[in-house]
Amino acid sequence: MTEKIRLYGDEILRKLAKPISTIDDDIKRKAKKLVEYLERYDELALSAPQVGYSIRMFVMRPIWIEDIKKRKTMIFINPTLLEFEGIQNESEGCLSIPEIFEKVKRAQKVIFRAQNLFGKWKQYTAKDLFSRAVQHEYDHLDGILFIDKILPFRRRLLQGKLKKIASTTEDGVNIG
Ligand SMILES: [Zn+2]
């Protein structure tokens, strides 16, 4: 793999990712890569900017589905969040900000639309963990990280750790 997981401090994580106009071979290749990373890191979800593609796509493993055979990795292209309902306040982490876990307030339920790899639009209703993961990944496409959403005093406490992560980013450490 040539791409690596981009860490906090990397500019791509702060960029507004571009909409995908055509789902061509290049986009399909990038989607495949993203899924590979997701499985390699055994993660719940991963957004394209985290592996260096500034495009509006994220992937997710539906671990809330009990039947493992039905847990097919989902690819969401050009997602749009339509409706929010309720509040949840759970601990979150991010592959791009290793070893930091903080409580983040998110909507309990989110209704969103996205295209699949065939370009077909579908509407989803996500609750609980699914909802939180969608909101976390969607934020990545807008250059927002979960630490932007925690209480300011918590963020201040994390300054040292964050600086350390950012300094390894400058050195180009490949955690993959
Ligand atoms: Zn993340």
Side-chain angles (χ1 to χ4, degrees):
M1 291 192 190
T2 48
E3 293 88 353
K4 59 182 183 184
I5 295 291
R6 303 302 182 95
L7 296 180
Y8 175 81
D10 193 313
E11 275 179 28
I12 198 161
L13 296 176
R14 290 309 196 179
K15 272 191 178 168
L16 187 67
K18 284 202 176 75
I20 294 166
S21 51
T22 319
I23 302 166
D24 54 15
D25 287 347
D26 180 53
I27 294 297
K28 284 177 188 163
R29 184 186 63 82
K30 286 171 176 165
K32 206 178 149 210
K33 268 271 190 253
L34 208 49
V35 171
E36 268 175 39
Y37 271 98
L38 186 71
E39 285 163 3
R40 165 186 265 233
Y41 288 97
D42 200 19
E43 280 292 311
L44 165 66
L46 195 61
S47 67
Q50 289 177 278
V51 296
Y53 311 136
S54 192
I55 51 173
R56 302 190 78 82
M57 169 165 63
F58 58 78
V59 296
M60 201 170 288
R61 293 198 306 177
I63 59 167
W64 49 88
I65 294 175
E66 276 183 35
D67 187 349
I68 292 172
K69 281 179 240 145
K70 286 183 183 163
R71 279 188 200 169
K72 265 194 82 188
T73 299
M74 300 185 285
I75 298 167
F76 301 114
I77 294 171
N78 294 326
T80 318
L81 308 185
L82 303 170
E83 273 178 54
F84 301 91
E85 208 182 289
I87 293 174
Q88 55 176 322
N89 189 21
E90 301 292 334
S91 189
E92 268 178 42
C94 179
L95 208 50
S96 296
I97 313 174
E99 289 165 35
I100 291 179
F101 297 89
E102 291 287 329
K103 283 205 166 183
V104 183
K105 268 193 190 143
R106 305 271 188 197
Q108 189 74 33
K109 185 173 128 182
V110 62
I111 297 173
F112 71 103
R113 297 177 80 221
Q115 281 173 287
N116 64 16
L117 261 193
F118 305 102
K120 205 179 163 214
W121 286 95
K122 260 187 89 174
Q123 187 165 310
Y124 302 85
T125 300
K127 288 177 192 164
D128 307 323
L129 181 59
F130 185 13
S131 170
R132 193 158 78 242
V134 166
Q135 292 169 77
H136 179 117
E137 300 312 322
Y138 185 89
D139 275 351
H140 273 301
L141 308 184
D142 283 347
I144 298 166
L145 301 171
F146 82 96
I147 47 157
D148 301 340
K149 298 196 159 179
I150 65 176
L151 293 170
F153 89 93
R154 292 292 314 163
R155 200 161 46 240
R156 274 198 298 277
L157 287 176
L158 293 171
Q159 277 318 307
K161 277 188 181 177
L162 290 172
K163 268 192 185 148
K164 214 170 155 193
I165 298 169
S167 69
T168 61
T169 304
E170 279 157 21
D171 293 333
V173 169
N174 186 352
I175 63 158

